[in-house]
């Protein structure tokens, strides 16, 4: 049973467009919400992360929006580039706990 | 600094056999966790070890087991392989676990297991 629900499964966006991936969770004990990026043949790598005491975090073209009351968080990729084509996983973890990952979103950025 | 190293990278087994996968964490990392990655299911948590102790366990059958050695290297074992065990098995290390700005998992490139 997926404790973190991620959508969409895949998306295609044109170069320069905005990619938006959404995640929802149920466990209010979750304290840490990272996003991981995975390229084919590689392991996932941390992209950006947020804790529930802030509603938004931005790093370059990547932004996490966090809605604690709705138990939802999302990743926005601004000015999407072909090099952003990858699979993105949201995750959640309680303090000192195991990570629960979403099912992943395959993002394809067309030239 | 060397990253997380997993061996073997690829292996093919037949149903009923067993397999052992190895993971060497980043130097100084004491926590090692294992994940199973399959298309459409994402990353499913198997177990986490910290200082040779299993601290967390996912919802996998007892055929899946692991251990961690005093040098933090870890192994996972799958016995009596089934076709559904075909997957990419990822190992991740971290240091320390939990706490502000310390939740990052560093993943290896995985061991791709095919069960025929």
């Amino acid at each position: 049973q997926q404790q973190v629900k991620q959508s969409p499964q895949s998306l295609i966006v044109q170069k320069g467009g905005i990619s938006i991936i959404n995640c929802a969770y149920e466990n209010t004990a979750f304290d840490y919400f990272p996003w991981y990026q995975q390229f084919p043949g590689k392991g996932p790598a941390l992209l950006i992360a947020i804790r529930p005491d802030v509603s938004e975090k931005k790093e370059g073209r990547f932004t996490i929006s966090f809605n604690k009351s709705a138990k939802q968080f999302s990743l926005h990729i601004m000015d999407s580039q072909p090099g952003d084509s990858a699979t993105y996983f949201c995750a959640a973890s309680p303090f000192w706990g195991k990570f629960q990952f979403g099912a992943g979103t395959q993002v394809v950025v067309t030239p | 600094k060397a990253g997380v190293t997993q061996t073997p990278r690829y292996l093919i087994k037949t149903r009923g056999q067993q397999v052992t996968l190895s993971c060497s964490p980043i130097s100084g990392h004491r926590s090692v966790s294992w994940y199973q990655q399959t298309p459409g299911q994402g990353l499913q948590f198997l177990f986490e070890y910290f200082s040779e102790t299993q601290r967390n366990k996912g919802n996998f059958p007892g055929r899946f087991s692991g251990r961690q050695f005093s040098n933090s290297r870890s192994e996972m074992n799958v016995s009596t392989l089934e076709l559904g065990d075909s997957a990419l098995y990822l190992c991740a290390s971290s240091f320390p676990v939990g706490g502000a700005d310390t939740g990052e998992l560093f993943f290896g490139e995985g061991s791709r297991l095919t069960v025929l």
Side-chain angles (χ1 to χ4, degrees):
Chain A
Q1 185 185 358
Q2 211 92 37
Q3 290 196 32
V4 178
K5 291 183 170 29
Q6 182 173 346
S7 62
Q9 274 190 317
S10 63
L11 71 94
I12 300 173
V13 62
Q14 283 193 325
K15 179 182 175 182
I18 302 173
S19 304
I20 301 174
I21 307 170
N22 300 299
C23 284
Y25 65 97
E26 289 296 325
N27 189 345
T28 54
F30 288 149
D31 180 68
Y32 175 68
F33 302 88
W35 285 88
Y36 282 79
Q37 179 188 55
Q38 185 180 30
F39 294 105
K42 301 293 185 182
L46 180 65
L47 185 64
I48 186 173
I50 197 168
R51 292 197 180 269
D53 51 343
V54 297
S55 61
E56 185 175 280
K57 183 174 181 180
K58 184 176 180 180
E59 288 184 2
R61 297 183 293 105
F62 301 91
T63 300
I64 299 179
S65 296
F66 185 81
N67 186 328
K68 188 174 181 178
S69 61
K71 291 185 283 187
Q72 295 176 346
F73 59 111
S74 60
L75 176 70
H76 290 62
I77 307 174
M78 313 300 287
D79 187 26
S80 296
Q81 300 297 311
D84 297 332
S85 296
T87 300
Y88 294 82
F89 294 95
C90 63
S93 171
F95 188 82
W96 290 104
K98 61 191 181 186
F99 283 78
Q100 297 289 340
F101 282 82
T105 297
Q106 186 173 19
V107 174
V108 174
V109 182
T110 59
Chain B
K1 208 174 194 180
V4 177
T5 303
Q6 291 188 244
T7 56
R9 290 291 314 278
Y10 303 91
L11 63 166
I12 300 173
K13 295 285 187 178
T14 57
R15 280 183 301 174
Q17 287 187 310
Q18 73 164 17
V19 66
T20 299
L21 309 177
S22 179
C23 172
S24 293
I26 291 172
S27 178
H29 285 194
R30 295 169 62 190
S31 171
V32 173
S33 50
W34 289 87
Y35 292 83
Q36 181 194 65
Q37 183 177 10
T38 54
Q41 291 295 312
L43 282 75
Q44 300 291 315
F45 174 78
L46 281 155
F47 24 67
E48 182 227 348
Y49 289 88
F50 183 82
S51 294
E52 302 180 66
T53 300
Q54 186 182 86
R55 189 159 59 177
N56 287 294
K57 189 177 188 307
N59 298 323
F60 278 82
R63 300 185 297 108
F64 292 81
S65 63
R67 58 178 176 169
Q68 186 180 32
F69 302 96
S70 59
N71 61 358
S72 293
R73 193 178 70 85
S74 177
E75 288 182 348
M76 69 162 281
N77 183 277
V78 188
S79 62
T80 319
L81 284 166
E82 300 177 359
L83 295 179
D85 297 334
S86 294
L88 179 68
Y89 290 88
L90 291 163
C91 166
S93 73
S94 64
F95 172 83
V97 176
D101 299 319
T102 56
E104 181 172 1
L105 297 175
F106 293 83
F107 283 90
E109 294 189 333
S111 293
R112 183 165 295 282
L113 170 65
T114 301
V115 182
L116 302 176

